[in-house]
mmCIF file of all heavy atoms in Angstrom:
data_model
loop_
_atom_site.group_PDB
_atom_site.id
_atom_site.type_symbol
_atom_site.label_atom_id
_atom_site.label_comp_id
_atom_site.label_asym_id
_atom_site.label_seq_id
_atom_site.Cartn_x
_atom_site.Cartn_y
_atom_site.Cartn_z
ATOM 1 N N LEU A 26 2.566 26.318 -24.679
ATOM 2 C CA LEU A 26 1.658 26.534 -25.808
ATOM 3 C C LEU A 26 1.098 27.949 -25.802
ATOM 4 O O LEU A 26 0.916 28.560 -26.849
ATOM 5 C CB LEU A 26 0.504 25.528 -25.750
ATOM 6 C CG LEU A 26 0.880 24.110 -26.157
ATOM 7 C CD1 LEU A 26 -0.248 23.161 -25.830
ATOM 8 C CD2 LEU A 26 1.195 24.068 -27.633
ATOM 9 N N ALA A 29 4.996 30.624 -25.371
ATOM 10 C CA ALA A 29 6.266 30.521 -26.066
ATOM 11 C C ALA A 29 6.148 31.078 -27.483
ATOM 12 O O ALA A 29 5.069 31.081 -28.074
ATOM 13 C CB ALA A 29 6.719 29.071 -26.118
ATOM 14 N N ASN A 30 7.250 31.590 -28.008
ATOM 15 C CA ASN A 30 7.326 32.051 -29.394
ATOM 16 C C ASN A 30 6.331 33.148 -29.735
ATOM 17 O O ASN A 30 5.908 33.291 -30.864
ATOM 18 C CB ASN A 30 7.098 30.897 -30.377
ATOM 19 C CG ASN A 30 8.138 29.823 -30.190
ATOM 20 O OD1 ASN A 30 9.291 30.135 -29.904
ATOM 21 N ND2 ASN A 30 7.726 28.573 -30.306
ATOM 22 N N ALA A 141 -24.368 9.865 -26.070
ATOM 23 C CA ALA A 141 -24.021 10.284 -27.418
ATOM 24 C C ALA A 141 -24.399 11.733 -27.696
ATOM 25 O O ALA A 141 -23.743 12.393 -28.483
ATOM 26 C CB ALA A 141 -24.712 9.364 -28.426
ATOM 27 N N LEU A 142 -25.483 12.234 -27.056
ATOM 28 C CA LEU A 142 -25.910 13.593 -27.378
ATOM 29 C C LEU A 142 -24.889 14.600 -26.860
ATOM 30 O O LEU A 142 -24.615 14.638 -25.664
ATOM 31 C CB LEU A 142 -27.269 13.870 -26.742
ATOM 32 C CG LEU A 142 -28.463 13.266 -27.459
ATOM 33 C CD1 LEU A 142 -29.729 13.602 -26.711
ATOM 34 C CD2 LEU A 142 -28.535 13.757 -28.876
ATOM 35 N N VAL A 145 -23.215 20.467 -26.167
ATOM 36 C CA VAL A 145 -23.245 21.747 -26.871
ATOM 37 C C VAL A 145 -24.501 21.843 -27.747
ATOM 38 O O VAL A 145 -24.928 22.930 -28.118
ATOM 39 C CB VAL A 145 -21.944 21.953 -27.678
ATOM 40 C CG1 VAL A 145 -21.871 21.020 -28.839
ATOM 41 C CG2 VAL A 145 -21.792 23.370 -28.122
ATOM 42 N N ALA A 146 -25.134 20.713 -28.062
ATOM 43 C CA ALA A 146 -26.417 20.735 -28.764
ATOM 44 C C ALA A 146 -27.576 20.650 -27.774
ATOM 45 O O ALA A 146 -28.592 21.320 -27.929
ATOM 46 C CB ALA A 146 -26.501 19.575 -29.748
ATOM 47 N N VAL A 153 -34.019 26.590 -24.983
ATOM 48 C CA VAL A 153 -35.119 27.090 -25.810
ATOM 49 C C VAL A 153 -36.449 26.487 -25.363
ATOM 50 O O VAL A 153 -37.433 27.197 -25.151
ATOM 51 C CB VAL A 153 -34.856 26.763 -27.301
ATOM 52 C CG1 VAL A 153 -36.107 27.034 -28.116
ATOM 53 C CG2 VAL A 153 -33.701 27.578 -27.815
ATOM 54 N N SER A 246 -15.444 19.872 -18.231
ATOM 55 C CA SER A 246 -15.709 20.178 -19.634
ATOM 56 C C SER A 246 -17.152 20.626 -19.806
ATOM 57 O O SER A 246 -17.442 21.611 -20.481
ATOM 58 C CB SER A 246 -15.453 18.950 -20.508
ATOM 59 O OG SER A 246 -14.145 18.480 -20.307
ATOM 60 N N ILE A 250 -19.382 24.519 -20.997
ATOM 61 C CA ILE A 250 -20.452 24.686 -21.979
ATOM 62 C C ILE A 250 -21.728 25.186 -21.317
ATOM 63 O O ILE A 250 -22.322 26.185 -21.736
ATOM 64 C CB ILE A 250 -20.709 23.347 -22.703
ATOM 65 C CG1 ILE A 250 -19.439 22.874 -23.384
ATOM 66 C CG2 ILE A 250 -21.831 23.493 -23.704
ATOM 67 C CD1 ILE A 250 -19.505 21.455 -23.856
ATOM 68 N N PHE A 265 -14.694 30.591 -20.433
ATOM 69 C CA PHE A 265 -15.366 30.806 -21.712
ATOM 70 C C PHE A 265 -15.175 32.253 -22.171
ATOM 71 O O PHE A 265 -14.800 32.526 -23.313
ATOM 72 C CB PHE A 265 -16.854 30.490 -21.502
ATOM 73 C CG PHE A 265 -17.756 30.725 -22.680
ATOM 74 C CD1 PHE A 265 -17.727 29.881 -23.774
ATOM 75 C CD2 PHE A 265 -18.656 31.778 -22.673
ATOM 76 C CE1 PHE A 265 -18.578 30.089 -24.845
ATOM 77 C CE2 PHE A 265 -19.506 31.993 -23.737
ATOM 78 C CZ PHE A 265 -19.466 31.149 -24.829
ATOM 79 N N ILE A 268 -11.492 32.990 -23.076
ATOM 80 C CA ILE A 268 -11.107 32.510 -24.410
ATOM 81 C C ILE A 268 -11.592 33.501 -25.467
ATOM 82 O O ILE A 268 -10.855 33.892 -26.364
ATOM 83 C CB ILE A 268 -11.728 31.128 -24.676
ATOM 84 C CG1 ILE A 268 -11.206 30.104 -23.696
ATOM 85 C CG2 ILE A 268 -11.414 30.677 -26.088
ATOM 86 C CD1 ILE A 268 -11.997 28.819 -23.707
ATOM 87 N N ARG A 269 -12.835 33.940 -25.321
ATOM 88 C CA ARG A 269 -13.407 34.863 -26.312
ATOM 89 C C ARG A 269 -12.617 36.177 -26.351
ATOM 90 O O ARG A 269 -12.413 36.751 -27.405
ATOM 91 C CB ARG A 269 -14.853 35.180 -25.964
ATOM 92 C CG ARG A 269 -15.716 33.964 -25.903
ATOM 93 C CD ARG A 269 -16.874 34.088 -26.830
ATOM 94 N NE ARG A 269 -16.963 32.886 -27.636
ATOM 95 C CZ ARG A 269 -17.783 32.758 -28.667
ATOM 96 N NH1 ARG A 269 -18.539 33.755 -29.030
ATOM 97 N NH2 ARG A 269 -17.825 31.650 -29.348
ATOM 98 N N LEU A 283 -7.876 24.191 -12.808
ATOM 99 C CA LEU A 283 -8.785 23.063 -13.048
ATOM 100 C C LEU A 283 -8.008 21.755 -13.144
ATOM 101 O O LEU A 283 -8.429 20.730 -12.612
ATOM 102 C CB LEU A 283 -9.590 23.298 -14.326
ATOM 103 C CG LEU A 283 -10.687 24.361 -14.223
ATOM 104 C CD1 LEU A 283 -11.328 24.599 -15.573
ATOM 105 C CD2 LEU A 283 -11.741 23.929 -13.228
ATOM 106 N N PHE A 287 -8.396 18.547 -10.679
ATOM 107 C CA PHE A 287 -8.653 17.232 -11.261
ATOM 108 C C PHE A 287 -7.645 16.199 -10.754
ATOM 109 O O PHE A 287 -8.008 15.092 -10.347
ATOM 110 C CB PHE A 287 -8.588 17.350 -12.786
ATOM 111 C CG PHE A 287 -8.830 16.079 -13.521
ATOM 112 C CD1 PHE A 287 -10.099 15.538 -13.598
ATOM 113 C CD2 PHE A 287 -7.796 15.418 -14.157
ATOM 114 C CE1 PHE A 287 -10.331 14.372 -14.287
ATOM 115 C CE2 PHE A 287 -8.018 14.248 -14.842
ATOM 116 C CZ PHE A 287 -9.286 13.721 -14.908
ATOM 117 N N LEU A 288 -6.357 16.572 -10.760
ATOM 118 C CA LEU A 288 -5.312 15.634 -10.327
ATOM 119 C C LEU A 288 -5.491 15.264 -8.859
ATOM 120 O O LEU A 288 -5.406 14.086 -8.490
ATOM 121 C CB LEU A 288 -3.932 16.254 -10.535
ATOM 122 C CG LEU A 288 -3.474 16.436 -11.977
ATOM 123 C CD1 LEU A 288 -2.119 17.105 -12.027
ATOM 124 C CD2 LEU A 288 -3.408 15.085 -12.663
ATOM 125 N N GLY B 151 -4.393 12.130 -17.957
ATOM 126 C CA GLY B 151 -4.504 12.786 -16.656
ATOM 127 C C GLY B 151 -4.968 14.222 -16.755
ATOM 128 O O GLY B 151 -5.159 14.886 -15.751
ATOM 129 N N LEU B 155 -11.161 18.533 -22.715
ATOM 130 C CA LEU B 155 -11.550 19.819 -23.291
ATOM 131 C C LEU B 155 -10.552 20.917 -22.928
ATOM 132 O O LEU B 155 -10.254 21.800 -23.739
ATOM 133 C CB LEU B 155 -12.961 20.199 -22.823
ATOM 134 C CG LEU B 155 -13.565 21.397 -23.535
ATOM 135 C CD1 LEU B 155 -13.662 21.162 -25.025
ATOM 136 C CD2 LEU B 155 -14.935 21.727 -22.989
ATOM 137 N N LEU B 156 -10.006 20.859 -21.703
ATOM 138 C CA LEU B 156 -9.039 21.876 -21.287
ATOM 139 C C LEU B 156 -7.797 21.809 -22.168
ATOM 140 O O LEU B 156 -7.294 22.822 -22.657
ATOM 141 C CB LEU B 156 -8.658 21.662 -19.823
ATOM 142 C CG LEU B 156 -9.791 21.828 -18.820
ATOM 143 C CD1 LEU B 156 -9.296 21.598 -17.417
ATOM 144 C CD2 LEU B 156 -10.386 23.210 -18.935
ATOM 145 N N ARG B 164 -3.455 27.655 -29.596
ATOM 146 C CA ARG B 164 -2.082 27.830 -30.051
ATOM 147 C C ARG B 164 -1.973 27.608 -31.560
ATOM 148 O O ARG B 164 -1.326 28.363 -32.278
ATOM 149 C CB ARG B 164 -1.175 26.829 -29.319
ATOM 150 C CG ARG B 164 0.265 26.913 -29.710
ATOM 151 C CD ARG B 164 0.820 28.238 -29.251
ATOM 152 N NE ARG B 164 2.084 28.522 -29.907
ATOM 153 C CZ ARG B 164 2.679 29.693 -29.855
ATOM 154 N NH1 ARG B 164 2.100 30.691 -29.215
ATOM 155 N NH2 ARG B 164 3.827 29.900 -30.445
ATOM 156 N N THR B 249 -18.035 21.762 -30.143
ATOM 157 C CA THR B 249 -17.790 22.369 -28.839
ATOM 158 C C THR B 249 -16.707 23.438 -28.923
ATOM 159 O O THR B 249 -16.863 24.545 -28.414
ATOM 160 C CB THR B 249 -17.381 21.289 -27.825
ATOM 161 O OG1 THR B 249 -18.379 20.270 -27.813
ATOM 162 C CG2 THR B 249 -17.244 21.865 -26.451
ATOM 163 N N PHE B 252 -18.000 26.400 -30.736
ATOM 164 C CA PHE B 252 -18.918 27.121 -29.860
ATOM 165 C C PHE B 252 -18.140 27.995 -28.872
ATOM 166 O O PHE B 252 -18.507 29.138 -28.606
ATOM 167 C CB PHE B 252 -19.787 26.120 -29.101
ATOM 168 C CG PHE B 252 -20.626 26.722 -28.012
ATOM 169 C CD1 PHE B 252 -21.789 27.395 -28.324
ATOM 170 C CD2 PHE B 252 -20.253 26.618 -26.692
ATOM 171 C CE1 PHE B 252 -22.565 27.957 -27.335
ATOM 172 C CE2 PHE B 252 -21.018 27.175 -25.696
ATOM 173 C CZ PHE B 252 -22.173 27.850 -26.017
ATOM 174 N N LEU B 253 -17.023 27.457 -28.355
ATOM 175 C CA LEU B 253 -16.247 28.204 -27.374
ATOM 176 C C LEU B 253 -15.418 29.314 -28.008
ATOM 177 O O LEU B 253 -14.935 30.195 -27.309
ATOM 178 C CB LEU B 253 -15.314 27.257 -26.607
ATOM 179 C CG LEU B 253 -15.994 26.244 -25.706
ATOM 180 C CD1 LEU B 253 -14.973 25.316 -25.078
ATOM 181 C CD2 LEU B 253 -16.779 26.947 -24.617
ATOM 182 N N GLY B 254 -15.236 29.259 -29.348
ATOM 183 C CA GLY B 254 -14.488 30.318 -29.998
ATOM 184 C C GLY B 254 -13.043 29.963 -30.294
ATOM 185 O O GLY B 254 -12.248 30.838 -30.645
ATOM 186 N N VAL B 255 -12.654 28.697 -30.151
ATOM 187 C CA VAL B 255 -11.293 28.303 -30.519
ATOM 188 C C VAL B 255 -11.317 27.265 -31.645
ATOM 189 O O VAL B 255 -10.331 26.594 -31.886
ATOM 190 C CB VAL B 255 -10.496 27.727 -29.323
ATOM 191 C CG1 VAL B 255 -10.098 28.824 -28.384
ATOM 192 C CG2 VAL B 255 -11.298 26.672 -28.601
ATOM 193 N N ILE B 268 -24.506 27.702 -33.436
ATOM 194 C CA ILE B 268 -25.131 27.682 -32.105
ATOM 195 C C ILE B 268 -24.631 28.867 -31.281
ATOM 196 O O ILE B 268 -25.408 29.564 -30.621
ATOM 197 C CB ILE B 268 -24.815 26.343 -31.392
ATOM 198 C CG1 ILE B 268 -25.493 25.180 -32.116
ATOM 199 C CG2 ILE B 268 -25.291 26.389 -29.946
ATOM 200 C CD1 ILE B 268 -25.092 23.814 -31.588
ATOM 201 N N VAL B 275 -31.624 34.295 -28.685
ATOM 202 C CA VAL B 275 -32.474 33.105 -28.620
ATOM 203 C C VAL B 275 -33.921 33.461 -28.265
ATOM 204 O O VAL B 275 -34.867 32.802 -28.688
ATOM 205 C CB VAL B 275 -31.888 32.084 -27.631
ATOM 206 C CG1 VAL B 275 -31.745 32.694 -26.256
ATOM 207 C CG2 VAL B 275 -32.720 30.846 -27.571
ATOM 208 N N LEU B 282 -30.968 28.653 -33.554
ATOM 209 C CA LEU B 282 -30.273 27.889 -32.526
ATOM 210 C C LEU B 282 -30.698 26.429 -32.553
ATOM 211 O O LEU B 282 -29.884 25.521 -32.396
ATOM 212 C CB LEU B 282 -30.593 28.488 -31.151
ATOM 213 C CG LEU B 282 -29.878 27.836 -29.981
ATOM 214 C CD1 LEU B 282 -28.510 28.438 -29.823
ATOM 215 C CD2 LEU B 282 -30.677 28.000 -28.708
ATOM 216 N N SER B 286 -28.465 22.614 -33.660
ATOM 217 C CA SER B 286 -28.349 21.699 -32.516
ATOM 218 C C SER B 286 -28.931 20.338 -32.852
ATOM 219 O O SER B 286 -28.334 19.305 -32.533
ATOM 220 C CB SER B 286 -29.091 22.268 -31.304
ATOM 221 O OG SER B 286 -28.712 23.578 -31.057
ATOM 222 N N ALA B 290 -26.823 16.925 -32.989
ATOM 223 C CA ALA B 290 -27.171 15.825 -32.085
ATOM 224 C C ALA B 290 -27.412 14.539 -32.872
ATOM 225 O O ALA B 290 -26.900 13.471 -32.513
ATOM 226 C CB ALA B 290 -28.404 16.203 -31.266
ATOM 227 N N VAL B 293 -24.014 13.066 -34.355
ATOM 228 C CA VAL B 293 -23.157 12.419 -33.360
ATOM 229 C C VAL B 293 -23.809 11.127 -32.871
ATOM 230 O O VAL B 293 -23.157 10.084 -32.755
ATOM 231 C CB VAL B 293 -22.889 13.387 -32.189
ATOM 232 C CG1 VAL B 293 -22.097 12.693 -31.105
ATOM 233 C CG2 VAL B 293 -22.143 14.593 -32.680
ATOM 234 N N LEU B 294 -25.110 11.185 -32.627
ATOM 235 C CA LEU B 294 -25.832 9.997 -32.169
ATOM 236 C C LEU B 294 -25.716 8.868 -33.188
ATOM 237 O O LEU B 294 -25.479 7.710 -32.832
ATOM 238 C CB LEU B 294 -27.303 10.365 -31.940
ATOM 239 C CG LEU B 294 -28.156 9.327 -31.232
ATOM 240 C CD1 LEU B 294 -27.630 9.099 -29.841
ATOM 241 C CD2 LEU B 294 -29.602 9.774 -31.179
#
Side-chain angles (χ1 to χ4, degrees):
Chain A
L26 285 170
N30 300 324
L142 282 179
V145 70
V153 169
S246 304
I250 301 167
F265 177 73
I268 297 167
R269 301 236 130 189
L283 287 175
F287 180 73
L288 291 178
Chain B
L155 190 59
L156 296 180
R164 180 67 195 169
T249 305
F252 171 78
L253 293 176
V255 286
I268 293 173
V275 58
L282 183 84
S286 309
V293 175
L294 190 63

